[in-house]
Structure formats: C-alpha cells, structure tokens
Amino acid sequence: MWLRRGLAVAALAAVLATIGVVVGLPLLRDRSQQRLEQRAEREVTATAQLARTRLLADPRAGESTLRQAAGSVAGVEVLTVRGDGPAVRLVFRVRVTKTAASVFGWQRADASACFAQVVHAEAGPAALERLSCPD
C-alpha cells in the first residue's frame, strides 16, 4: 500500500517537474534575451555619449576633424556633416552587437540608433539628439 502511494506521488512529482521545465525554460530564455537586448541598447547610448564627448572636446575644429573624431569611436558611422556658419551638425549611426553565453547556448542582440550633434564654435551646452535612422 505504501509503495503504491509512494510511486503515485513520485509519478505526480515527475509530471509536475516536467511541466515546469517545459513552461519555464522558454520564459527564462526570453528573459535572458531581453536583458541582453537592454544591455545592447544601453551600450548604444553610452557609445553615442562617447562620440559626443570627443566632438565637443575641440569645438573650433573643422568639419573633417570632427568627422574623424566621431568616426574614431568603435561602432560609429558618420552619415552627414554639414557646416551652418559657426556651427557644424553631424548625424551619425551607432551599431552594437552583444553576445553572451547562457544555459541555452549563445545569444545575440543587435542594436542601432542614429544621433545628431551640433558643435558650436564657442564652448557651451549642446544636446545630443536621437533621430530615426535612414534605411
């Protein structure tokens, strides 16, 4: 009697554990991928801020120097540089690829965004503007 009851409880526990694994693993994988994508987005923003810092380091530099300064940051592609009198407007794209090992194998997240930065000849506050990227 006790043996039969013990086997029934063990079988029920095995079924519940199997259901938990079948339902839980995809949820954990999705959550892990979501965290990786969030890290990639944060790195896009951090890379854009680094490019901004390099651009504003020498506000009197010419267009080609500013293009080189932004382009020297890993993951930054300068799209346009336009001089408007004493100011230069740069539009650039930042691309980041993050990979991570997990229980589920390798996961990958790609993120990109475009930004515009106006560099005035006089030092002063200059906002970094996030734009929609051209195709």
Side-chain angles (χ1 to χ4, degrees), residues 5 33 50 55 59 71 77 84 87-88 90 100 102 108 120 128:
R5 206 177 244 177
Q33 181 67 33
L50 177 60
L55 289 170
E77 171 192 4
D84 295 328
V88 177
L90 286 97
S102 73
R108 176 183 170 140
H120 298 281
L128 180 65

Side-chain angles (χ1 to χ4, degrees), residues 29-67:
R29 179 174 170 73
D30 290 345
R31 181 70 178 135
S32 177
Q33 181 67 33
Q34 184 181 32
R35 280 194 306 256
L36 187 61
E37 290 169 358
Q38 289 170 346
R39 284 199 316 254
E41 281 296 326
R42 283 193 304 268
E43 190 168 327
V44 163
T45 303
T47 302
Q49 290 293 336
L50 177 60
R52 176 183 183 273
T53 300
R54 292 201 182 158
L55 289 170
L56 297 178
D58 185 10
R60 297 190 190 279
E63 291 178 23
S64 64
T65 305
L66 291 172
R67 177 185 285 274

Side-chain angles (χ1 to χ4, degrees), residues 84-131:
D84 295 328
V88 177
R89 184 174 194 265
L90 286 97
V91 176
F92 57 94
R93 178 187 329 238
V94 178
R95 291 185 179 156
V96 171
T97 299
K98 299 289 283 183
T99 57
S102 73
V103 181
F104 314 103
W106 284 98
Q107 291 181 311
R108 176 183 170 140
D110 297 313
S112 68
C114 291
F115 298 89
Q117 179 66 58
V118 177
V119 180
H120 298 281
E122 306 83 32
L128 180 65
E129 179 184 359
R130 191 172 189 140
L131 307 171

Side-chain angles (χ1 to χ4, degrees), residues 1-14:
M1 184 69 144
W2 288 103
L3 181 62
R4 187 179 291 173
R5 206 177 244 177
L7 287 174
V9 169
L12 181 62

